[in-house]
Amino acid sequence: MAVYYSFYIECYQEQDAVRIHDKLRAWTTEVHGREISMARVLVEPEGELWYVYANPKGPGYSPFGYGEGLNEPETVALLEDRLYELIASEVGIRRALCGYEAQDVFRSGGDNLLDLEDLDVHNLVFDRNLKPQREGVMELGSLYYRTRRRS
C-alpha cells in the first residue's frame, strides 16, 4: 500500500520553483464534493536543479491522507488532471509527476542520486526540449508533454 501521495516538480531555476511553491500553497480544488488543498509544500535544491514537493490533503494513507473516498482511481485521475492544468502554463519546469510515492521516481537505487534521463514514466509531464515527441505522449500547454497514465 502506498503511503504518500505526492506532486513532485523538478525546476531548472530557484525562482521558478519558489513561484510554483507559492502557487501550490494557495491552491484548492473540489473533487467529488471534497475540498482538497495542500498539507505540505517544500522547495529544496538538489544538484543544479530545484524541487517542489507537495502533498495534497486527501489521497494516500499518510497523516495527510483521508484514505476513504479520495483514493478511488477516478478521483485520483481527476486530481492529477487539475494539478497538471495548474502548471501547464508555468515556465521553468523540467519534469513533474503526481502519484503515490512519486518521490521515488526521480531517484535511482537507494543512494538518492537523481535519474535525470528517465522520461519513460507513466503520467509524467516533461519539458518539450528534453526529447522529441514519441508515441503515447500528448501535449500539455505549449511547453510540455505528458505521457499516458497506466491503464
Side-chain angles (χ1 to χ4, degrees):
M1 170 186 333
V3 175
Y4 286 98
Y5 184 89
S6 305
F7 187 26
Y8 267 44
I9 304 167
E10 184 177 69
C11 296
Y12 293 107
Q13 298 180 20
E14 179 182 16
Q15 66 264 24
D16 296 324
V18 169
R19 184 186 66 252
I20 292 166
H21 166 275
D22 293 346
K23 189 172 190 174
L24 284 170
R25 282 189 55 132
W27 177 83
T28 61
T29 191
E30 185 178 313
V31 177
H32 300 300
R34 303 277 297 266
E35 185 175 285
I36 297 175
S37 61
M38 292 296 171
R40 174 176 70 173
V41 184
L42 304 169
V43 174
E44 294 181 357
E46 188 157 348
E48 295 183 13
L49 297 170
W50 289 83
Y51 291 83
V52 180
Y53 309 117
N55 296 104
K57 293 178 186 175
Y61 296 93
S62 73
F64 309 131
Y66 299 131
E68 295 179 26
L70 290 174
N71 287 302
E72 297 299 321
E74 302 82 24
T75 304
V76 172
L78 180 57
L79 175 60
E80 289 169 356
D81 288 343
R82 291 194 181 157
L83 286 167
Y84 285 149
E85 287 169 11
L86 181 72
I87 64 165
S89 61
E90 292 290 335
V91 297
I93 295 171
R94 187 177 188 283
R95 297 182 302 177
L97 182 66
C98 292
Y100 298 99
E101 309 301 339
Q103 70 276 5
D104 294 342
V105 172
F106 293 146
R107 313 231 178 238
S108 62
D111 56 1
N112 289 336
L113 295 174
L114 297 176
D115 184 357
L116 296 175
E117 304 308 316
D118 197 356
L119 298 174
D120 292 323
V121 174
H122 296 285
N123 205 24
L124 180 74
V125 169
F126 62 93
D127 184 346
R128 288 189 189 192
N129 294 319
L130 291 178
K131 195 171 185 180
Q133 185 174 1
R134 62 191 191 281
E135 189 175 324
V137 174
M138 58 187 162
E139 294 181 356
L140 180 70
S142 62
L143 302 172
Y144 306 106
Y145 290 126
R146 179 178 176 184
T147 61
R148 303 267 182 221
R149 279 188 192 97
R150 191 172 291 160
S151 298

